[in-house]
Amino acid sequence: MKIADSHAHLNFPDYDKDREEVIKRAYDGKVRIIINIGSGNGKDGIKDSLELARSYDFIYSTIGIHPHEADSVDFEEILSFSSENKIVAVGECGLDFYKNYSPREKQITVFKKHIEFALQKNLPLIIHSRNAGDEVMKILNKGDVWKNGIIFHCFSGDEGLADEIIKLGGFISFAGNITYRNSEAVKNLVRKIPDERILVETDCPFLSPVPYRGKRNEPLYVWMTADFLAKIRGITAEDMGRISFVNTVRVFKLPVKIEPSIVYKIRRSLYINLTNECTLSCTFCGKKRSYFVKGHYLKLEREPSVEEVLSEIKCYSRDSFDEVVFCGYGEPLLRLDKVKEIGRELKSTGIKTRIDTDGLANLVYRRNIVPELSGMIDCVSVSLNAPDEETYAKICPSPYGREAWRHACEFVKECTKFIPEVIITAVSLPSISYEDMDKLAKTLGVKFRIREYNELG
């Protein structure tokens, strides 16, 4: 259980009396990364931020000029800090056309200097944008500025702006002020951000989340914002914290190794990642863009043994999960013998088990393997994905050609004879008819569930 605060101002005077205690509270509360922003109060602000980062392994700093100071700070003055290895980003920088503390033309000039500097140093950009979304995007759309990562901090734009940022490969960070606006528009926006593009921050000492609104903010409170986002996204605060932590490591290129997960938890399910090998090459497969699922890295360095899997399952308290799922980022039944060994052991202790499969195991093994799962698997979920063999062949190509869909349907029928619960699923692609899939499920005598496109885990 861990989280990152991707945007903090711990060097501000608000913490002069208890800075060490605030940082200790954060670390004790599983805040394992803090990105402290080196903009504000000119050169002294960057110096103070950097000194703080040098004092703590888990705190990093940035270098930049806030748009409020664009007319009062010399950009050249801050460049002396650029070689420090604790500097992980440029910013916060951008445009603020709400308060206009600096002339707009000056803000634009200084913003462009930040962009050039970030490109030169191969560092990500942290964007401050207030009442200036169109102008910011116009400037960012010139040149190769997105390649090193761009973070829109304390995002307050609409879905259209969010869509454009995501399309270009940017990251969207939410602060505590998101908890003030519990509207359907906010919920729709929060749901729309892909897992791999969302960050959580405090912007402390500002924008304390509910229930601390109006009081001084601090990094520990990042959990409240994470919990708010998690409830909207249908996951747990722990899931949201992990997602934000991994994304912070990725975008800031931090020296934190993310180990591949063999057994991993999402909501109240434990998942077993037995293999990355697949029978199909689905057009919509998430592996084509990332091996991360809800903050877990699923690209295995090697396939795990039965002993390793069972040992990792034992690390979880029995009351912290409801089921164990053979799923991962591959086809689990390609390791049938291991599934049976693990399933047998889990059922002997009364743990509910499920397999998520493509349903082609009988084709792979050239025999009916379903009876072998009887008594050790409680539920089988088959990713059938199409109501007919022609559509299936197009979206889920395999070495088995057009016969694959028919064999998957036969596998489902066999499962109904030996497995207590059987489900077929389909990804919500435009070419897939929900009605046709539901009709197929009724014909097969099983349940049907739709899976949201690009929503993994």
Side-chain angles (χ1 to χ4, degrees):
M1 186 172 177
K2 54 191 172 185
I3 197 169
D5 182 354
S6 66
H7 195 108
H9 297 278
L10 286 171
N11 55 303
F12 277 22
D14 306 69
Y15 303 102
D16 284 350
K17 292 182 180 179
D18 62 347
R19 187 171 286 108
E20 287 187 16
E21 290 88 343
V22 168
I23 294 171
K24 184 179 186 302
R25 276 199 296 274
Y27 193 82
D28 290 347
K30 308 299 182 184
V31 181
R32 289 295 184 260
I33 293 171
I34 298 173
I35 306 297
N36 200 71
I37 304 304
S39 71
N41 198 25
K43 188 175 180 180
D44 289 340
I46 296 169
K47 182 181 176 183
D48 292 342
S49 178
L50 191 52
E51 286 181 358
L52 188 64
R54 290 187 190 122
S55 302
Y56 295 89
D57 289 343
F58 71 109
I59 298 179
Y60 300 86
S61 185
T62 71
I63 181 172
I65 297 172
H66 194 284
H68 290 342
E69 297 184 315
D71 199 35
S72 58
V73 178
D74 183 355
F75 187 81
E76 302 303 318
E77 278 188 355
I78 71 172
L79 298 183
S80 59
F81 299 103
S82 62
S83 60
E84 293 278 350
N85 63 6
K86 274 272 183 159
I87 298 290
V88 296
V90 174
E92 63 186 280
C93 59
L95 306 176
D96 193 312
F97 292 170
Y98 177 71
K99 293 190 175 179
N100 287 306
Y101 287 164
S102 293
R104 293 189 177 192
E105 287 306 314
K106 185 66 175 181
Q107 290 187 49
I108 291 170
T109 299
V110 173
F111 182 29
K112 289 178 178 177
K113 285 185 178 181
H114 281 84
I115 293 170
E116 292 169 7
F117 179 63
L119 283 168
Q120 177 190 337
K121 292 293 182 179
N122 292 317
L123 290 172
L125 274 168
I126 300 172
I127 303 297
H128 174 107
S129 173
R130 194 167 185 194
N131 286 21
D134 290 344
E135 188 65 37
V136 166
M137 293 305 291
K138 190 187 303 180
I139 293 169
L140 290 176
N141 280 337
K142 294 177 181 177
D144 196 17
V145 299
W146 294 84
K147 67 174 186 177
N148 297 315
I150 293 182
I151 304 101
F152 277 72
H153 113 87
C154 192
F155 187 77
S156 59
D158 58 19
E159 283 189 42
L161 178 59
D163 286 343
E164 190 174 359
I165 293 166
I166 291 162
K167 184 180 178 181
L168 290 166
F171 289 76
I172 289 175
S173 182
F174 291 106
N177 60 329
I178 196 75
T179 68
Y180 311 160
R181 300 179 291 130
N182 197 7
S183 66
E184 279 307 309
V186 167
K187 290 177 181 178
N188 290 335
L189 171 64
V190 168
R191 291 188 194 104
K192 200 163 191 176
I193 312 302
D195 285 337
E196 64 269 23
R197 295 291 165 190
I198 192 168
L199 299 172
V200 187
E201 62 171 274
T202 57
D203 198 21
C204 65
F206 315 109
L207 302 177
S208 292
V210 173
Y212 294 101
R213 186 178 185 180
K215 300 179 181 179
R216 184 191 70 173
N217 203 358
E218 60 178 83
L220 179 62
Y221 299 167
V222 73
W223 279 112
M224 283 77 173
T225 303
D227 184 57
F228 178 85
L229 297 172
K231 285 182 170 68
I232 295 173
R233 293 167 73 86
I235 55 177
T236 66
E238 181 181 349
D239 293 330
M240 192 67 243
R242 182 179 57 252
I243 291 166
S244 176
F245 178 89
V246 165
N247 289 342
T248 301
V249 171
R250 289 173 54 225
V251 69
F252 293 106
K253 303 175 184 68
L254 303 182
V256 177
K257 186 176 182 183
I258 306 296
E259 298 286 350
S261 296
I262 297 172
V263 174
Y264 58 100
K265 186 182 175 190
I266 299 175
R267 302 179 190 88
R268 288 190 56 83
S269 297
L270 287 188
Y271 292 83
I272 301 175
N273 188 24
L274 275 182
T275 182
N276 289 156
E277 296 298 316
C278 285
T279 331
L280 300 172
S281 182
C282 299
T283 56
F284 51 81
C285 181
K287 282 190 290 190
K288 294 180 179 179
R289 70 176 193 274
S290 170
Y291 270 86
F292 284 98
V293 174
K294 291 288 184 289
H296 297 289
Y297 184 51
L298 302 186
K299 189 171 185 178
L300 294 168
E301 294 172 352
R302 58 178 179 78
E303 293 185 335
S305 67
V306 170
E307 292 72 25
E308 286 174 307
V309 171
L310 293 175
S311 176
E312 289 212 14
I313 290 173
K314 288 176 182 176
C315 293
Y316 292 86
S317 168
R318 181 62 187 86
D319 61 4
S320 70
F321 63 91
D322 299 324
E323 63 174 349
V324 172
V325 186
F326 294 90
C327 181
Y329 235 156
E331 171 49 56
L333 288 178
L334 290 177
R335 301 191 73 196
L336 175 62
D337 289 345
K338 308 304 178 189
V339 168
K340 287 157 58 176
E341 280 188 67
I342 296 166
R344 192 176 300 115
E345 180 64 26
L346 294 176
K347 289 309 297 175
S348 72
T349 59
I351 293 174
K352 183 181 178 181
T353 56
R354 185 176 96 217
I355 294 177
D356 289 355
T357 176
D358 59 23
L360 300 182
N362 290 351
L363 264 178
V364 172
Y365 294 103
R366 298 183 182 278
R367 70 175 193 273
N368 182 12
I369 63 96
V370 177
E372 300 170 37
L373 303 176
S374 180
M376 63 187 72
I377 301 298
D378 297 299
C379 176
V380 170
S381 177
V382 180
S383 304
L384 203 47
N385 290 319
D388 58 80
E389 63 181 27
E390 183 179 351
T391 306
Y392 186 89
K394 288 178 182 177
I395 66 173
C396 299
S398 79
Y400 302 104
R402 295 175 70 93
E403 66 175 320
W405 180 83
R406 179 173 53 82
H407 278 274
C409 289
E410 290 298 324
F411 182 87
V412 171
K413 291 178 185 176
E414 283 300 310
C415 285
T416 62
K417 301 174 186 176
F418 298 95
I419 309 297
E421 184 180 10
V422 185
I423 304 167
I424 63 170
T425 69
V427 172
S428 58
L429 298 172
S431 59
I432 304 303
S433 163
Y434 179 94
E435 290 75 16
D436 288 346
M437 288 300 304
D438 192 48
K439 190 183 299 183
L440 175 63
K442 288 182 170 64
T443 300
L444 296 172
V446 298
K447 299 176 184 176
F448 168 62
R449 181 173 65 84
I450 197 79
R451 306 193 322 273
E452 288 300 318
Y453 175 62
N454 271 349
E455 178 60 32
L456 300 173

